[in-house]
Amino acid sequence: MRAAVVRSFTEPLVVEDRPVPTPAGHQVLVRMEASGLCHTDIHAARGDWPVKPSPPFVPGHEGIGIVEAAGGQVTHLAVGDRVAIPWLGEACGHCDHCVSGWETLCLAQENSGYSVDGSHAEYALAHGTYVVPVPDGIDPLDAAPLTCAGVTTYKAVKLSGARPGTRALVSGIGGLGHLALQYARIFGAETIAVDVTDAKLALARELGADHVIDARVQDVAEETHRLGGADAAISLAVSNESFGAAYGALRRGGTLVLVALPAEGKLELPVFDTVLNGTKVVGSIVGTREDLAEVFQLHRLGRTRVVRESRDLADINSAIDEVLKGKVSGRLVFDLGSTPA
Ligand code: NAD
Ligand code: ZN
Ligand code: ZN
């Protein structure tokens, strides 16, 4: 099988031939149909974060495919089922986080495409209990971006408190942001989209943003306060300055949800203003299996639109370049042999 492999943090990925793995115990073998390229894969390939993966490894955690074989302990999935392989590859299932609906905080978790091999390959192994069934009627190429960009921003919007009568700012209209904007609208908020390229600002307008701010030439905080300030701001841009700008855009009682993870990401907060304004700052990491099931249902009902372009896995290095240059509309997805739903 073909697999895209990170061999070192300083070299391009290599698409190499590997044997198809055999599932054991709780594992399933998934024949991949589609795998989305998340900005996290780029951080992983470059070793950007304090906790690093160990090369060689296969990145990818927006994997959609068909169960082709299963280990002896998998009883609830059948060969032929379509499943999603998300970032949360496995958790312990019994700690206080796992049993209280916060499995994404489990200290014993494995992460697909990071601590275990992921989905940028023709086949992948995954833990049967942590893959999420993809409902019929969803195109695998749409399901892929929903598996991280979708679930992550759906959760972040939930945590932001966006609802009718509130104003929500989405900073960064990329793979994550183009879906965040749609969820903020579904939750009933007035929306403000912020980005730094004409194409992404145009996409935000097309997706129904009530206001757009071009952070290259406009002051994000000032423009947002002109509108009354943001009750919620969701930081999805891979840029330290954008965190400060989103914080500055909040009105009293507002919530800043941190999602983007730039290398050496830092946010300095004025204590006085944060206290007097009653500001909440929350970190948000992906979403649970239940969140992803909800994301799939919303899409099946036609409430969300996945903006995406397909690429061949062989072009993974140029695809990474396109994302870094901000040239992609929505999400790039590797088409590994999908059949439309
Ligand atoms: P992306 O590259 O597709 O999108 C980033 C967007 O930010 C682009 O549209 C870019 O033009 C825009 N941008 C750049 N500078 C900006 C600025 N100063 N102000 C406003 N917008 C700006 O990336 P993505 O796949 O959407 O991922 C975004 C970040 O989220 C990455 O750091 C990724 O690792 C992280 N992430 C976090 C989680 C989580 O669970 N917390 C999950 C997935 C991804
Ligand atoms: Zn991701
Ligand atoms: Zn746990």
Side-chain angles (χ1 to χ4, degrees):
M1 68 167 195
R2 287 188 307 154
V5 178
V6 175
R7 288 195 182 153
S8 98
F9 295 137
T10 51
E11 284 163 62
L13 279 77
V14 179
V15 178
E16 61 179 42
D17 215 27
R18 288 186 159 193
V20 176
T22 307
H26 289 287
Q27 289 176 325
V28 287
L29 174 69
V30 182
R31 176 173 54 76
M32 303 311 308
E33 300 177 292
S35 185
L37 176 60
C38 181
H39 208 118
T40 289
D41 297 329
I42 305 176
H43 296 305
R46 296 177 159 200
D48 273 350
W49 298 338
V51 178
K52 296 181 199 306
S54 315
F57 68 95
V58 177
H61 56 271
E62 288 188 344
I64 303 299
I66 304 294
V67 174
E68 197 153 282
Q73 291 175 51
V74 179
T75 52
H76 68 297
L77 292 170
V79 168
D81 287 355
R82 178 172 282 141
V83 294
I85 303 179
W87 171 256
L88 186 71
E90 183 178 342
C92 82
H94 51 75
C95 70
D96 60 337
H97 302 301
C98 280
V99 299
S100 64
W102 282 98
E103 62 201 26
T104 51
L105 302 183
C106 178
L107 281 161
Q109 68 186 273
E110 300 287 350
N111 297 118
S112 311
Y114 208 84
S115 65
V116 295
D117 282 341
S119 58
H120 293 333
E122 287 171 333
Y123 288 86
L125 287 179
H127 195 298
T129 306
Y130 287 87
V131 296
V132 175
V134 181
D136 287 346
I138 299 184
D139 188 319
L141 293 168
D142 281 350
L146 295 173
T147 299
C148 179
V151 74
T152 298
T153 54
Y154 179 69
K155 186 66 155 193
V157 170
K158 271 188 178 176
L159 291 177
S160 78
R163 59 182 183 281
T166 65
R167 206 171 289 112
L169 177 142
V170 177
S171 168
I173 307 298
L176 267 63
H178 90 282
L179 287 160
L181 184 58
Q182 297 180 58
Y183 295 126
R185 282 169 51 82
I186 289 169
F187 278 62
E190 179 180 348
T191 52
I192 305 167
V194 183
D195 209 293
V196 290
T197 85
D198 294 337
K200 305 216 185 217
L201 294 168
L203 175 63
R205 276 192 205 95
E206 198 185 313
L207 292 171
D210 296 298
H211 314 275
V212 300
I213 298 176
D214 182 345
R216 288 170 302 188
V217 294
Q218 288 174 292
D219 184 308
V220 174
E222 207 177 291
E223 292 299 324
T224 308
H225 282 288
R226 217 193 294 283
L227 298 166
D231 300 283
I234 303 168
S235 273
L236 308 169
V238 193
S239 139
N240 267 334
E241 306 83 75
S242 69
F243 294 136
Y247 174 87
L250 292 174
R251 65 193 291 262
R252 283 197 155 185
T255 302
L256 173 63
V257 185
L258 302 178
V259 176
L261 290 159
E264 286 151 36
K266 283 221 162 50
L267 168 64
E268 219 169 88
L269 294 180
V271 171
F272 184 83
D273 290 349
T274 306
V275 171
L276 275 273
N277 292 337
T279 305
K280 293 179 274 298
V281 179
V282 187
S284 188
I285 179 75
V286 294
T288 61
R289 289 166 288 179
E290 186 183 32
D291 293 317
L292 181 52
E294 291 171 17
V295 159
F296 283 149
Q297 287 308 332
L298 280 173
H299 193 72
R300 190 182 63 78
L301 293 169
R303 308 282 164 83
T304 48
R305 181 179 143 207
V306 175
V307 176
R308 50 156 166 96
E309 297 174 38
S310 310
R311 294 287 181 274
D312 192 279
L313 189 62
D315 299 325
I316 189 161
N317 290 304
S318 56
I320 286 174
D321 233 46
E322 288 180 78
V323 174
L324 288 171
K325 290 190 176 131
K327 287 189 172 157
V328 176
S329 190
R331 198 53 131 193
L332 282 192
V333 182
F334 299 114
D335 188 340
L336 293 153
S338 63
T339 38

